[in-house]
Amino acid sequence: MMYFLFLKKCTNTENRHHHRIPGPSPGHVMLCEVTLLAVMSQLWLSPLWQRWGRWLSPLVGRAGSEPRESVVSVWRHPVVMERLRALRGLFACVGCMPRRTRRGERGRVESPVPTCAVTLLLQRLQDQEGDREQAYCELEHVLGEEDSRPPCGVVNRLLAEVSQDLTAAQGVTDSVRMAASNVLVALARTHFSMVMAELQGHLKATREMCKEFVLVTLSKLFSIYAPQCISFVWLTLAGLCSVVGRVRSGRTLRTACAVVKQWMDGVKIHLSSGKHSPWPATEKEQMYENLHELFFFVVSNWQDCKEEEDRQAVLGAVTAMMTVLLQEELPREHVWERLLWLVHPCQEMQDTCRVAKSLHMFLEALPGVQSVIPKDKFLAVTSAVFYQLFDDAKQHSEADRAELTRCILLQARICPEETVLFLQSQLGDEWEAGCVAALGLLGALARSDEPAMTEKLPQITEAVQRVCSDPRTRVRRAVLHFIEDLLSANLWSCSAWDVVGHIFSEFSRTTGRRAARDLSTQEAQEEGALQELCMDILGSLDVSARGISKLLWPRLLLYVVPAQYTGMLIPVSRCVQALAKRGELTVRDMEDLDPHFLSSMFQGPLLTPQTLLARLLVVAGSPSAGSELQAAALLLLQNLHSKIHRAVGAKWAAEIPLLLQHLEGKDESFPNSEDWEHRLLKFLRASLDVVEDEAWTKALSCELSRRLSSSASSSAEKTFLYKALGTVLGACKEVLHVQQKLLQHLEESNAEEPSEAQGMISLVSLAADSNFHTVLDTLTMFASRLCKGRNGRISRRKKTELDSARAQATRSALILAHGSLALRASKEQLLARLEGDIVGNILLLYSCSCQDLQNKLALVQSITDFSSAVHAVGGSAFFNPSLKSKLLEILMDLLKKYYMGTPVSPVPLKVILALEQLSKLKPSLGSKDAGEMLALCCKNIVSHPSAEMMLKIKKSRQAAQYLQLLQTSLKALGRLMVVLLETETIRGFFQNIVQVLQRSLTSNNMWERNRALQTCSQLLAACEELLRGDACESFGSLVGLLAPLTCDPMPASRQLAATCLSSLLRMQAKAANRVIETGDTGSLCEGLNDCSSITQLQTSSKLARMVCSNFPLERTVDFLMAIKETLRKGKGMRVRAAGKWMITFLQMYGKDICRDVLPILHILRSCTSSAQHSTFMPFLCQAVVILICCHKEVMIDNFSRLLGPTDSEMWRRIREFCLQRWSR
């Protein structure tokens, strides 16, 4: 009763219209004081004091410890009275039953209040009877009636029941919660303060509960009772701070944001309406303090919203709070100060990402309020963010940098002029990181679609242009990124600055620095990255953007020709291809062209069709450029065909795609760079044939000639230019022009460089395609100049010039050029001018030279070339015999000089190749000359190098190269032998070849035997293919030479010997017209490959029986004569194999060789003169025994004769033994 008395006397019972309570009379004041004292003595330990103590303590103080104010002072204390007024609803709760926290503990509470409709419905809810949602709807209807005003006790119980459903964490549906919320709104009509007090308690509650529908109810209350809600703003703000700390996302967050926005909009309207403020000055200050707290609570706690809907809700709430805070000067200053504190760089311990997000949210909301940030505060914020973002001492994450960058961009949206000026001021700073940062931010501003930024772009572009010459790598990269942003955003602002030109200039700058080769590894990598960036910027341009075609075309053509922009041809090609598809490659009027382009066009070289074609051909023909760059050059040709010549369009449309397929690897018919060059030159010649314009072709040759003269020596570009110029001159018809260009470059070329010498040869040979006689006449003229004064008197200076190394190299190149020229001549042209001009000039130039190795090799190659040319055209005319003899003599002298020279020299190989071609020319060589030549070739190729030298070669680094050269030389020697057989008119030359090979086949150098076997194998294979009978005539000799080699130490030699024997057997079978039983040749080969010497010997014996079974007896003596060499000189297994073969033959044919017994006996006698008779002695004795058994009378008669003076002791013993054994 004391609580209720206090409430009644203090509040004077709310009237229905909720007007402000009038000031109490003095009696009321005294009663309030007494009642408060009585109440507080009992309330001090009550739980309610925990909720009310904050506001009641100024009225009563601590019991027994603090002085109590007098009645009058308390009444006159505005803060106390305002709080009493604001908390009248809280005191209405005095006297209510304690609320239960769990629904299970609720029971019916007896009340002294008379039963009414509200009470009945409340009892239904407490007893959980029926549908709760329906009960709430009925209760809402009852409370909405005009005469409905339930007593405070019922209201208190009703609030407790409704609050359980409104804040239940689970177990209650949203529809029930919404119905409960509607009941509270209806109850607020008569008991607004009690409802508001209940809701405020829920907002500040710390226990687990659902606050979403508490917020929904607050929103509904403000929608209906806005004037009454204004008084509770400061309490609501304090309660919302608790909500912000507990909610992170979802529907509750969005509802809370909606409440904040709704209430702040109401406060703003109230403040701007001019009405009397419902708060005293101190409480208004408290409201702003709570609003500040809530504002920064929201900014710091809800900045990480992921969902866009949540973010937009938070932004709306922040904007609404800022609108209220920035309406008055004092709160506004407080906001600016808090903003500076938020981003102050000395706050090292703060989470940079969260600070950035808070600032971002603040700035994002700022445009929504009608307030302008002070300039000094703005600059302070901008500087703080800028230096914190790009301070090298701080290690910010990418997320932090992105967030701080967005803050700068938002500041630019708010104050564009100040932001741009600030960033421009950083461009001139020596702080590299600051300059780079400012460029990056200016680029981001250029990308934005803000109208204010669009107006500032020319100013920004002009400022950036001033730092283009900065040598620092990071600044250069930042400028390029700015240009990329500018091109992707606003093309019209580029008119004040040739940004495309800067991209190419930067690319050229990096190319020059890398070419200087004075950079560190890191610097070289940085320059390479800048080059790639330049290419990426140009390659990523959207040509469909408005104005891009005018910006690029025809400016891009200026950067096609200069060599320093070669790498940029790839993006240039992409741009031009895209422009071509859009039909933008049209000729523009002069007034439409960019002034930067016009000035550049008149400063550089004239951009002619020939200039474009020459440049793109050089790039396409350079293997070092890479397939991607070559393809870019071809695509440029295809897209610019109308700018080069109107006649090539259809031809190029068909040919260039085929070339591109080859570059992409789809065409495997041209596997190397030489084939690619050949095809490209063929494409050029076909294009010139289509053009059929002599003046245009001459202009192209002049452009290629100019480029050739200015190209660096030994460069790949110059090599291709020689070929391209030769191709173009081949299409020219004006003789004087062709001669002039040929003489010019023959004189300019430095033949001491191998690439230059080869270029001269390519130029001459390609130009002779349609101008053979003109080119040959020019060469004759130039050769005479080089040999002038050989027999006459000339000045010392001229003689020095002609004897110089360059002149000698030029003569060598001209000798090669004549041979190459012969290869490209037709039959009529070649036969008409071969001996007098081509060979005559070659010999003239050779005689004038110093005849060093270079000149000799040139002569050998030219002989090879013109000889093969004559043979290729099928000329039936005879080559001058004396001239042929002279050339043969020169070649033989070279072989003699290089025999036993270097371990492996390329000279013998080249000489043999020349002899092969020269031997094909009629008349054929004489037998003597051919024999001498063959013997000398075998000495150089087969006999050399020695076994000791081969061991050194195999241990050297160039072992693979030497061995490959040996194999090539052996194959060339084999081909030469075949040619000599084919062209030899005298029968029996094959036997000469066998005699030449015999020395090597019986040599003790196993490497030499192997090389001889390779040559023999090649020779026999050719004879078998040509169906020549020469080998059959030498069957016995060859078998005798090859038989011992079936047990050679080298496995390869054993296999080659078996292969040669097989060829001989097949040829013998064809000659005898019979079939040979070869048996299992596979097992024979395996047996010869076996490591066991016994197995090898057994296999050799099997092979012997197979060969001897098909042996022509008329070749018996040849066989034994050949095998005698191995028996006399051989060692080891070869001697045993020779003995086995001899015994096998004698066992099979001993009785059938009557007429050959005496020659055989003579051969056996001669074998005993060798000192190496210990190995073959058993075979010798066995052979004698076989012969005596078969031909006793002949043998005894021969033994009965007196011994000769040359007979060895071994033979004496054999004779005596035979006579004693068989004479009886």
Side-chain angles (χ1 to χ4, degrees):
M1 290 300 294
M2 293 180 68
Y3 289 174
F4 183 78
L5 177 64
F6 167 74
L7 178 65
K8 184 174 182 67
K9 294 301 182 179
C10 182
T11 62
N12 196 20
T13 310
E14 291 179 323
N15 55 41
R16 292 184 180 178
H17 302 290
H18 308 285
H19 295 304
R20 293 183 62 190
I21 302 175
S25 61
H28 291 149
V29 173
M30 185 63 68
L31 181 59
C32 285
E33 184 183 28
V34 173
T35 306
L36 278 171
L37 291 173
V39 169
M40 295 309 299
S41 64
Q42 301 180 34
L43 189 64
W44 190 264
L45 300 177
S46 170
L48 290 176
W49 176 250
Q50 303 297 325
R51 296 173 61 186
W52 299 344
R54 175 183 172 186
W55 296 285
L56 294 178
S57 57
L59 298 176
V60 298
R62 296 282 295 178
S65 62
E66 296 182 5
R68 177 179 56 81
E69 297 185 22
S70 65
V71 174
V72 178
S73 65
V74 169
W75 175 253
R76 291 178 180 177
H77 199 293
V79 175
V80 174
M81 297 314 298
E82 290 298 328
R83 292 188 179 184
L84 281 174
R85 189 182 303 114
L87 294 175
R88 57 187 181 275
L90 294 175
F91 285 98
C93 299
V94 177
C96 67
M97 296 293 295
R99 298 177 185 172
R100 291 162 175 78
T101 59
R102 292 179 296 182
R103 191 179 300 277
E105 296 177 0
R106 288 193 310 218
R108 179 172 296 178
V109 181
E110 298 296 333
S111 174
V113 181
T115 303
C116 62
V118 175
T119 305
L120 293 174
L121 291 171
L122 177 59
Q123 289 176 358
R124 281 175 56 190
L125 291 172
Q126 289 178 333
D127 294 340
Q128 301 185 24
E129 297 177 359
D131 186 277
R132 296 184 68 80
E133 183 178 356
Q134 181 64 31
Y136 279 136
C137 291
E138 294 176 8
L139 188 58
E140 178 187 3
H141 177 72
V142 172
L143 291 174
E145 295 178 356
E146 187 67 24
D147 56 349
S148 174
R149 186 178 179 83
C152 290
V154 174
V155 171
N156 182 52
R157 290 161 50 202
L158 181 60
L159 288 173
E161 189 66 27
V162 172
S163 296
Q164 289 290 335
D165 287 333
L166 192 70
T167 62
Q170 57 186 3
V172 180
T173 63
D174 287 350
S175 60
V176 173
R177 287 193 179 99
M178 187 60 72
S181 173
N182 292 336
V183 168
L184 291 181
V185 175
L187 184 61
R189 184 177 64 83
T190 56
H191 296 78
F192 181 84
S193 297
M194 296 181 69
V195 172
M196 182 61 73
E198 184 72 14
L199 295 176
Q200 296 295 336
H202 293 324
L203 283 180
K204 295 181 66 67
T206 58
R207 64 186 177 86
E208 187 67 26
M209 64 169 58
C210 177
K211 298 187 180 184
E212 178 184 355
F213 285 90
V214 175
L215 296 168
V216 170
T217 307
L218 281 173
S219 177
K220 292 179 181 178
L221 286 177
F222 197 89
S223 300
I224 302 173
Y225 309 109
Q228 291 94 318
C229 291
I230 293 297
S231 301
F232 291 87
V233 169
W234 67 284
L235 283 174
T236 304
L237 294 175
L240 286 171
C241 288
S242 176
V243 175
V244 172
R246 290 175 173 271
V247 178
R248 286 293 179 266
S249 63
R251 214 164 54 179
T252 304
L253 180 144
R254 295 192 291 273
T255 306
C257 291
V259 170
V260 172
K261 186 176 185 306
Q262 183 186 37
W263 283 59
M264 290 300 99
D265 289 344
V267 171
K268 176 183 175 183
I269 294 172
H270 189 85
L271 292 176
S272 61
S273 64
K275 297 180 180 179
H276 181 65
S277 173
W279 314 287
T282 55
E283 192 162 312
K284 186 175 181 180
E285 181 180 350
Q286 183 65 40
M287 184 200 75
Y288 277 115
E289 181 181 346
N290 289 353
L291 182 56
H292 272 111
E293 183 179 359
L294 177 63
F295 174 76
F296 286 98
F297 234 58
V298 168
V299 169
S300 60
N301 284 277
W302 288 350
Q303 62 185 353
D304 296 323
C305 294
K306 304 298 182 184
E307 298 293 333
E308 183 61 25
E309 193 176 358
D310 293 350
R311 179 173 174 78
Q312 292 299 325
V314 173
L315 188 60
V318 170
T319 304
M321 288 186 285
M322 288 179 61
T323 303
V324 175
L325 287 172
L326 298 178
Q327 275 192 332
E328 297 190 20
E329 182 176 354
L330 184 60
R332 186 187 307 130
E333 288 297 322
H334 188 52
V335 170
W336 301 141
E337 292 299 327
R338 288 294 297 270
L339 177 62
L340 289 177
W341 171 84
L342 190 64
V343 298
H344 201 276
C346 66
Q347 302 294 323
E348 298 290 343
M349 300 305 295
Q350 295 189 36
D351 185 349
T352 305
C353 186
R354 297 187 63 82
V355 170
K357 289 181 178 179
S358 302
L359 178 62
H360 181 268
M361 185 174 293
F362 180 92
L363 294 172
E364 196 171 12
L366 194 58
V369 302
Q370 301 298 321
S371 179
V372 179
I373 184 171
K375 186 174 182 180
D376 58 336
K377 300 293 190 298
F378 175 83
L379 290 176
V381 171
T382 304
S383 300
V385 175
F386 183 82
Y387 291 115
Q388 200 172 71
L389 175 58
F390 297 103
D391 188 358
D392 293 332
K394 296 191 176 183
Q395 301 295 328
H396 293 303
S397 65
E398 291 298 324
D400 294 350
R401 289 183 179 277
E403 200 64 46
L404 289 169
T405 301
R406 284 194 286 270
C407 291
I408 295 287
L409 299 181
L410 283 173
Q411 293 179 68
R413 185 187 303 172
I414 299 168
C415 301
E417 182 70 29
E418 289 79 2
T419 305
V420 170
L421 289 176
F422 173 79
L423 294 177
Q424 286 181 4
S425 67
Q426 304 303 314
L427 296 179
D429 199 342
E430 294 184 359
W431 181 37
E432 183 180 9
C435 183
V436 171
L439 287 168
L441 292 171
L442 289 172
L445 293 178
R447 287 198 311 270
S448 66
D449 296 331
E450 297 293 330
M453 285 296 102
T454 304
E455 295 178 1
K456 298 290 182 184
L457 278 180
Q459 175 186 346
I460 295 173
T461 304
E462 184 179 356
V464 174
Q465 191 176 1
R466 289 195 289 267
V467 300
C468 287
S469 58
D470 196 308
R472 294 174 291 187
T473 304
R474 292 178 59 191
V475 176
R476 292 159 58 196
R477 185 187 302 111
V479 171
L480 289 173
H481 281 300
F482 172 80
I483 291 176
E484 183 179 16
D485 295 332
L486 194 64
L487 289 173
S488 64
N490 226 293
L491 295 174
W492 69 268
S493 60
C494 301
S495 59
W497 179 23
D498 183 13
V499 291
V500 175
H502 178 75
I503 295 174
F504 282 94
S505 298
E506 189 60 51
F507 184 89
S508 175
R509 184 179 183 183
T510 58
T511 303
R513 293 199 65 193
R514 295 181 72 184
R517 300 184 181 277
D518 57 353
L519 303 177
S520 64
T521 303
Q522 181 179 357
E523 289 174 337
Q525 292 175 350
E526 291 175 349
E527 295 296 329
L530 283 177
Q531 280 190 328
E532 293 180 2
L533 179 58
C534 292
M535 296 173 65
D536 291 341
I537 293 173
L538 191 62
S540 61
L541 284 180
D542 182 10
V543 298
S544 62
R546 183 181 178 185
I548 191 69
S549 60
K550 182 179 179 181
L551 184 69
L552 296 178
W553 185 257
R555 178 187 279 107
L556 287 178
L557 293 180
L558 290 176
Y559 306 107
V560 173
V561 177
Q564 64 265 30
Y565 304 129
T566 300
M568 291 291 281
L569 286 181
I570 296 173
V572 167
S573 175
R574 293 174 186 166
C575 290
V576 171
Q577 188 175 14
L579 290 171
K581 289 180 179 179
R582 294 174 53 84
E584 297 285 351
L585 303 185
T586 58
V587 179
R588 302 184 184 279
D589 295 333
M590 189 65 71
E591 56 269 15
D592 292 338
L593 294 178
D594 190 277
H596 295 289
F597 170 71
L598 292 176
S599 62
S600 301
M601 185 176 65
F602 291 112
Q603 288 176 2
L606 291 178
L607 197 62
T608 64
Q610 290 82 5
T611 307
L612 275 176
L613 177 58
R615 174 61 182 152
L616 295 176
L617 276 175
V618 168
V619 176
S622 176
S624 60
S627 59
E628 189 176 4
L629 194 57
Q630 289 174 302
L634 290 174
L635 284 172
L636 278 172
L637 281 176
Q638 186 175 8
N639 291 310
L640 298 175
H641 66 87
S642 60
K643 302 292 182 292
I644 295 174
H645 200 281
R646 62 181 180 275
V648 298
K651 183 70 176 178
W652 287 6
E655 291 291 333
I656 290 179
L658 298 178
L659 294 172
L660 291 173
Q661 284 183 5
H662 164 61
L663 287 175
E664 293 170 2
K666 297 178 181 178
D667 184 0
E668 299 180 355
S669 59
F670 298 92
N672 53 42
S673 58
E674 291 184 3
D675 292 327
W676 168 250
E677 279 189 355
H678 175 72
R679 184 161 188 175
L680 195 61
L681 294 172
K682 185 178 178 182
F683 162 76
L684 172 60
R685 181 55 191 264
S687 302
L688 295 174
D689 293 339
V690 171
V691 170
E692 293 183 342
D693 186 340
E694 181 68 16
W696 195 93
T697 305
K698 286 175 58 179
L700 178 60
S701 68
C702 291
E703 175 60 28
L704 291 170
S705 175
R706 183 187 66 80
R707 285 184 166 274
L708 179 59
S709 299
S710 60
S711 295
S713 180
S714 302
S715 64
E717 176 181 339
K718 191 162 191 177
T719 301
F720 181 78
L721 280 170
Y722 272 116
K723 299 177 181 179
L725 179 58
T727 302
V728 176
L729 290 178
C732 288
K733 298 177 181 178
E734 187 177 327
V735 174
L736 291 177
H737 178 75
V738 174
Q739 287 186 335
Q740 177 188 358
K741 290 302 176 185
L742 285 176
L743 288 173
Q744 173 189 344
H745 292 290
L746 288 174
E747 292 174 352
E748 289 180 357
S749 299
N750 181 13
E752 291 182 277
E753 296 286 342
S755 59
E756 294 264 343
Q758 186 57 47
M760 291 172 58
I761 298 167
S762 301
L763 172 66
V764 169
S765 58
L766 289 169
D769 273 350
S770 299
N771 298 290
F772 177 79
H773 295 291
T774 302
V775 173
L776 186 53
D777 291 340
T778 307
L779 286 181
T780 303
M781 183 190 312
F782 191 67
S784 64
R785 292 183 187 176
L786 288 176
C787 298
K788 184 180 180 180
R790 181 167 63 101
N791 297 321
R793 300 181 62 181
I794 57 173
S795 64
R796 180 177 298 177
R797 184 185 63 81
K798 187 66 176 179
K799 181 176 177 56
T800 303
E801 182 180 337
L802 293 176
D803 291 339
S804 64
R806 180 169 179 174
Q808 298 290 350
T810 303
R811 293 189 188 98
S812 297
L814 285 179
I815 291 173
L816 291 170
H818 280 82
S820 179
L821 192 64
L823 289 171
R824 306 187 74 89
S826 65
K827 179 178 180 179
E828 293 75 13
Q829 292 170 342
L830 182 61
L831 296 180
R833 306 193 65 174
L834 174 63
E835 297 176 1
D837 294 311
I838 296 178
V839 180
N841 288 344
I842 290 173
L843 293 176
L844 174 65
L845 290 166
Y846 180 72
S847 64
C848 292
S849 63
C850 61
Q851 298 185 10
D852 59 358
L853 178 61
Q854 182 181 4
N855 282 282
K856 291 175 180 177
L857 288 176
L859 175 65
V860 171
Q861 185 61 49
S862 65
I863 294 174
T864 305
D865 289 340
F866 76 71
S867 299
S868 60
V870 174
H871 182 71
V873 297
S876 59
F878 279 68
F879 189 70
N880 190 323
S882 61
L883 201 56
K884 185 174 181 179
S885 298
K886 186 173 184 180
L887 294 174
L888 182 61
E889 182 183 353
I890 294 174
L891 295 175
M892 296 291 286
D893 287 341
L894 282 175
L895 276 182
K896 292 176 183 177
K897 182 174 182 179
Y898 284 92
Y899 173 61
M900 297 298 291
T902 57
V904 180
S905 171
V907 175
L909 171 61
K910 291 185 177 295
V911 171
I912 289 174
L913 293 174
L915 288 171
E916 176 190 352
Q917 298 301 325
L918 187 62
S919 299
K920 295 177 182 179
L921 301 183
K922 297 178 182 179
S924 301
L925 295 175
S927 179
K928 182 180 179 182
D929 292 337
E932 291 178 356
M933 176 182 70
L934 189 60
L936 189 56
C937 290
C938 285
K939 284 183 179 180
N940 278 273
I941 303 300
V942 178
S943 301
H944 184 72
S946 63
E948 294 78 8
M949 188 65 71
M950 283 298 298
L951 292 175
K952 293 180 180 179
I953 289 174
K954 291 182 71 68
K955 294 179 181 180
S956 66
R957 295 180 180 179
Q958 295 83 16
Q961 178 183 351
Y962 286 160
L963 294 176
Q964 180 64 36
L965 182 58
L966 277 174
Q967 293 299 316
T968 307
S969 301
L970 287 171
K971 291 179 181 180
L973 178 60
R975 292 196 303 271
L976 174 61
M977 290 180 177
V978 174
V979 170
L980 292 175
L981 280 176
E982 292 176 343
T983 58
E984 182 62 36
T985 57
I986 302 176
R987 192 170 181 84
F989 186 72
F990 186 87
Q991 186 62 33
N992 293 341
I993 297 177
V994 174
Q995 291 176 1
V996 170
L997 290 176
Q998 180 176 346
R999 177 182 174 278
S1000 297
L1001 289 171
T1002 57
S1003 169
N1004 285 326
N1005 180 357
M1006 63 178 181
W1007 301 101
E1008 184 178 351
R1009 294 196 301 271
N1010 180 265
R1011 293 192 290 268
L1013 281 169
Q1014 291 185 52
T1015 306
C1016 185
S1017 173
Q1018 185 178 355
L1019 178 64
L1020 291 175
C1023 289
E1024 186 178 0
E1025 183 179 354
L1026 296 172
L1027 302 178
R1028 292 182 62 95
D1030 308 64
C1032 295
E1033 296 177 3
S1034 301
F1035 186 88
S1037 301
L1038 284 173
V1039 171
L1041 292 171
L1042 294 170
L1045 298 179
T1046 56
C1047 288
D1048 193 271
M1050 292 183 69
S1053 297
R1054 298 196 292 268
Q1055 293 295 329
L1056 286 170
T1059 302
C1060 293
L1061 289 170
S1062 299
S1063 296
L1064 280 172
L1065 283 177
R1066 287 192 297 271
M1067 286 187 284
Q1068 181 64 28
K1070 289 180 182 180
N1073 195 18
R1074 62 180 179 176
V1075 178
I1076 297 177
E1077 295 294 336
T1078 58
D1080 188 3
T1081 56
S1083 62
L1084 291 176
C1085 293
E1086 291 179 4
L1088 292 176
N1089 274 332
D1090 198 287
C1091 297
S1092 171
S1093 59
I1094 298 176
T1095 305
Q1096 294 174 18
L1097 194 59
Q1098 291 174 349
T1099 306
S1100 178
S1101 298
K1102 293 178 182 179
L1103 190 60
R1105 287 192 292 270
M1106 183 180 69
V1107 173
C1108 289
S1109 62
N1110 298 279
F1111 200 94
L1113 293 181
E1114 62 271 17
R1115 307 297 176 191
T1116 301
V1117 176
D1118 295 338
F1119 166 68
L1120 292 174
M1121 284 292 292
I1123 214 167
K1124 179 189 71 171
E1125 296 299 321
T1126 303
L1127 291 173
R1128 293 179 67 240
K1129 301 178 182 177
K1131 295 179 182 179
M1133 289 296 296
R1134 289 189 297 125
V1135 175
R1136 296 181 65 184
K1140 279 285 186 182
W1141 277 70
M1142 180 179 67
I1143 297 303
T1144 300
F1145 176 81
L1146 291 176
Q1147 287 175 345
M1148 293 179 67
Y1149 297 108
K1151 296 180 180 181
D1152 302 327
I1153 54 174
C1154 298
R1155 62 177 183 175
D1156 295 326
V1157 172
L1158 292 179
I1160 293 173
L1161 189 61
H1162 178 73
I1163 293 171
L1164 294 177
R1165 179 185 293 180
S1166 64
C1167 288
T1168 59
S1169 62
S1170 172
Q1172 305 289 338
H1173 54 258
S1174 60
T1175 304
F1176 67 82
M1177 186 62 188
F1179 300 106
L1180 182 63
C1181 293
Q1182 188 176 359
V1184 170
V1185 170
I1186 294 172
L1187 289 173
I1188 290 177
C1189 292
C1190 295
H1191 306 280
K1192 182 178 178 181
E1193 294 179 1
V1194 177
M1195 291 292 294
I1196 294 298
D1197 181 64
N1198 187 275
F1199 280 144
S1200 299
R1201 297 176 184 177
L1202 294 176
L1203 293 173
T1206 58
D1207 290 335
S1208 64
E1209 182 64 26
M1210 177 66 65
W1211 184 251
R1212 291 176 186 273
R1213 293 178 182 178
I1214 293 173
R1215 174 179 173 275
E1216 291 176 358
F1217 172 79
C1218 291
L1219 288 174
Q1220 292 175 2
R1221 174 71 176 81
W1222 279 284
S1223 63
R1224 293 173 298 181

